[in-house]
Amino acid sequence: MNSSVDPWQQRRFDEDRPRRHDQRSPYHRDKGRVLHSAAFRRLQSKTQVLGVGMNDFYRTRLTHSIEAAQIGTGLNAQLRSKHPEIAPLLDDQLIEALCLAHDIGHPPFGHGGEIALNYMMREHGGFEGNGQTFRILTQLEPYTQHYGMNLSRRSLLGVLKYPVCHGSVAKPQQHPPAVNFRQLKASDWQPAKALFDEDSAILDWVLAPLCSDDRQQFQCVTDTPGANGHLRARHRSLDCSIMELADDIAYSVHDLEDAIVLGIVHPDSWDNEVQQALKQGPSPYQDSEMARISADLFCKEQYRRKDAIGTLVNGLVCAVTLKAQPDLQNPLLAQRAVLEPDYQALLKLLKRFVLHNVVKKPEVQLLEFKGQQMVMELFEAFASDPERLLPRITGQIWQQHTAAGHSGSRVIADYISGLTDDFAARLHENLFSATSGNLFELQSRL
């Protein structure tokens, strides 16, 4: 590898692929690799909050990721204006790449699929969507033979929402396996937020330019477990904090818009849980301003609702600022993007409202439960006879892993997590329904 290159622009594999007259920066090239990947395209048929196929209006993980990328560049613009001293560190192509890539590791059927795979992998290192994103970027996506998309080191640092491995944060297994899949309690099997232990060598490569003190501090974890029983990483890079903030804004505001349009949330709930809370606590808006925004959100005229959504997004984006991380010295780690306190309170309130009134709604949870069951049954089927049932190429990878003394379960998790909602449902039907359709329709994917 060329040692004269900025270490944060280096790639694990020196491709030596000269492109004539290519004027793109390394981060522009990274964005292109994400944008043109099969993993990114599959997001068009993966659940964001509401199940794919319920309506043709609302967001999928693909449209959510595109919206997050647009918000990310808006956050960059604000930070350049407010903090010109860090302007040289901010790169729009990089932030777009991170926002486009941040969800590609999430399995079919949203959180239900993640719980299902974490349960099935309980004795093999667990499963978590962000950890799977890292695997896709660094190993699984076939842009290269062995190095995934072979992104630059800084792009990989930027997707590390949790720069620690599973073994350092996961609680010991406290719950016995469910008697059967239908009795699995999702809250008992929340995943630890971490990379997988078998990917630690790649994490070491990403963090190699950091001094020992920075690396130790960057990877420190909380002193006490969270509500799910796991410890959690304390820090993330500046780039990652911008991406994560863009993700939160896109999730809390745009998914709220979907829920309003589909009639899932109603003005009374909004008034009781959001407007009243803003009247009683910190709020960036006067009561009259919030009343107008609320009226526009729930009115029949679409242009008024779009204006209200735009007002909320703009307010949140314009409220971004920086917070020092004094224990860290590297410029990419020493500060993180945060919102001003009143807007941070608003964002927290919106996220809680969407979680309570949309994500946790019984009708949505029924669909999540159904997807959870399908994923566990698919995993059980493939694990019962991998050489017989796995697609040919995946079966060969499974054989290579087991021949090397590794568990083949991670290969099965890699395969299932890459399925779209639609494909997973059709595959489940073909495996378990006596009256299902044509198996050869799946041949191109198998």
Side-chain angles (χ1 to χ4, degrees):
M1 185 172 289
N2 188 348
S3 60
S4 66
V5 176
D6 176 349
W8 294 109
Q9 295 184 0
Q10 288 179 336
R11 305 176 189 277
R12 289 171 62 222
F13 172 57
D14 190 356
E15 299 165 7
D16 191 24
R17 294 183 183 180
R19 308 291 196 196
R20 287 197 302 172
H21 312 305
D22 189 351
Q23 301 300 313
R24 296 174 300 166
S25 72
Y27 309 128
H28 197 167
R29 293 167 63 195
D30 286 351
K31 185 181 80 170
R33 295 180 185 195
V34 174
L35 192 61
H36 293 283
S37 68
F40 181 72
R41 290 194 299 275
R42 291 188 186 111
L43 297 180
Q44 67 187 301
S45 187
K46 287 195 177 186
T47 294
Q48 167 61 9
V49 172
L50 303 170
V52 172
M54 290 174 64
N55 189 284
D56 62 0
F57 166 82
Y58 57 76
R59 274 86 179 170
T60 63
R61 283 201 184 270
L62 185 139
T63 57
H64 160 76
S65 299
I66 294 171
E67 289 173 334
Q70 188 268 337
I71 292 171
T73 57
L75 292 168
N76 262 6
Q78 289 294 322
L79 289 172
R80 287 192 192 95
S81 175
K82 295 178 180 180
H83 303 277
E85 72 279 5
I86 71 156
L89 286 177
L90 303 175
D91 189 290
D92 286 351
Q93 301 291 341
L94 171 66
I95 292 301
E96 285 191 57
L98 302 183
C99 291
L100 293 172
H102 81 279
D103 265 354
I104 61 175
H106 285 269
F109 309 116
H111 192 54
E114 186 178 44
I115 292 289
L117 286 176
N118 187 51
Y119 175 74
M120 301 305 290
M121 292 293 292
R122 63 193 180 277
E123 297 179 357
H124 305 285
F127 180 90
E128 197 271 333
N130 296 284
Q132 191 67 20
T133 292
F134 190 75
R135 281 181 68 78
I136 291 171
L137 296 176
T138 60
Q139 299 171 71
L140 302 180
E141 182 67 27
Y143 182 84
T144 62
Q145 187 174 5
H146 301 296
Y147 299 89
M149 296 187 202
N150 198 33
L151 301 186
S152 64
R153 182 184 264 116
R154 184 172 170 184
S155 290
L156 294 177
L157 179 73
V159 298
L160 288 176
K161 292 174 68 173
Y162 314 104
V164 293
C165 288
H166 181 271
S168 64
V169 294
K171 67 177 180 181
Q173 186 173 314
Q174 297 177 350
H175 302 285
V179 176
N180 61 61
F181 292 157
R182 293 183 182 180
Q183 295 184 17
L184 182 73
K185 187 176 181 181
S187 60
D188 290 344
W189 298 97
Q190 299 290 324
K193 301 295 185 180
L195 303 185
F196 308 130
D197 291 344
E198 56 261 52
D199 299 332
S200 61
I202 305 176
L203 175 61
D204 289 342
W205 179 85
V206 174
L207 302 182
L210 300 178
C211 68
S212 58
D213 287 346
D214 266 0
R215 173 162 180 175
Q216 182 177 0
Q217 288 297 326
F218 186 57
Q219 293 190 283
C220 69
V221 301
T222 53
D223 296 326
T224 56
N228 60 10
H230 305 299
L231 301 176
R232 195 179 180 104
R234 291 181 182 272
H235 297 296
R236 54 195 47 79
S237 70
L238 170 64
D239 299 324
C240 185
S241 70
I242 297 170
M243 175 268 284
E244 190 171 30
L245 196 52
D247 180 28
D248 284 349
I249 294 171
Y251 161 77
S252 61
V253 181
H254 289 140
D255 290 345
L256 169 66
E257 179 185 13
D258 285 355
I260 291 172
V261 172
L262 295 175
I264 293 174
V265 298
H266 304 285
D268 289 346
S269 300
W270 174 263
D271 180 64
N272 292 333
E273 298 179 39
V274 177
Q275 279 193 272
Q276 295 303 319
L278 290 174
K279 288 179 181 179
Q280 297 168 9
S283 174
Y285 298 109
Q286 298 292 330
D287 289 352
S288 58
E289 291 179 290
M290 198 63 213
R292 179 187 59 79
I293 292 171
S294 299
D296 287 349
L297 282 174
F298 289 93
C299 74
K300 294 182 179 180
E301 291 86 356
Q302 292 187 28
Y303 72 92
R304 289 176 56 191
R305 183 177 63 250
K306 296 301 294 186
D307 182 65
I309 291 294
T311 298
L312 290 173
V313 172
N314 181 71
L316 293 165
V317 169
C318 292
V320 68
T321 187
L322 292 176
K323 179 180 180 180
Q325 301 194 88
D327 295 336
L328 297 162
Q329 302 303 314
N330 189 288
L332 296 180
L333 309 181
Q335 300 183 85
R336 73 162 61 177
V338 296
L339 296 184
E340 296 165 3
D342 285 358
Y343 280 95
Q344 181 58 40
L346 172 63
L347 181 62
K348 185 177 179 180
L349 193 60
L350 293 175
K351 288 175 66 177
R352 187 166 67 234
F353 181 79
V354 171
L355 179 66
H356 179 254
N357 291 279
V358 184
V359 178
K360 296 300 183 182
K361 198 174 182 69
E363 294 85 346
V364 174
Q365 287 298 305
L366 286 171
L367 292 173
E368 188 174 289
F369 176 83
K370 181 180 179 180
Q372 179 180 304
Q373 300 301 306
M374 284 193 280
V375 168
M376 289 189 289
E377 289 174 357
L378 285 173
F379 194 106
E380 183 181 50
F382 288 127
S384 71
D385 197 345
E387 293 177 281
R388 178 187 182 193
L389 296 177
L390 283 174
R392 184 167 299 169
I393 294 177
T394 307
Q396 291 170 356
I397 297 171
W398 182 89
Q399 290 174 342
Q400 293 167 4
H401 271 65
T402 54
H406 305 304
S407 167
S409 295
R410 183 63 66 191
V411 177
I412 298 174
D414 287 342
Y415 174 67
I416 293 177
S417 69
L419 304 178
T420 64
D421 292 19
D422 291 341
F423 188 86
R426 285 192 290 130
L427 184 57
H428 184 274
E429 182 182 19
N430 276 306
L431 276 171
F432 297 108
S433 173
T435 59
S436 64
N438 186 357
L439 282 171
F440 291 99
E441 292 177 357
L442 301 178
Q443 192 62 39
S444 62
R445 181 66 182 271
L446 298 177

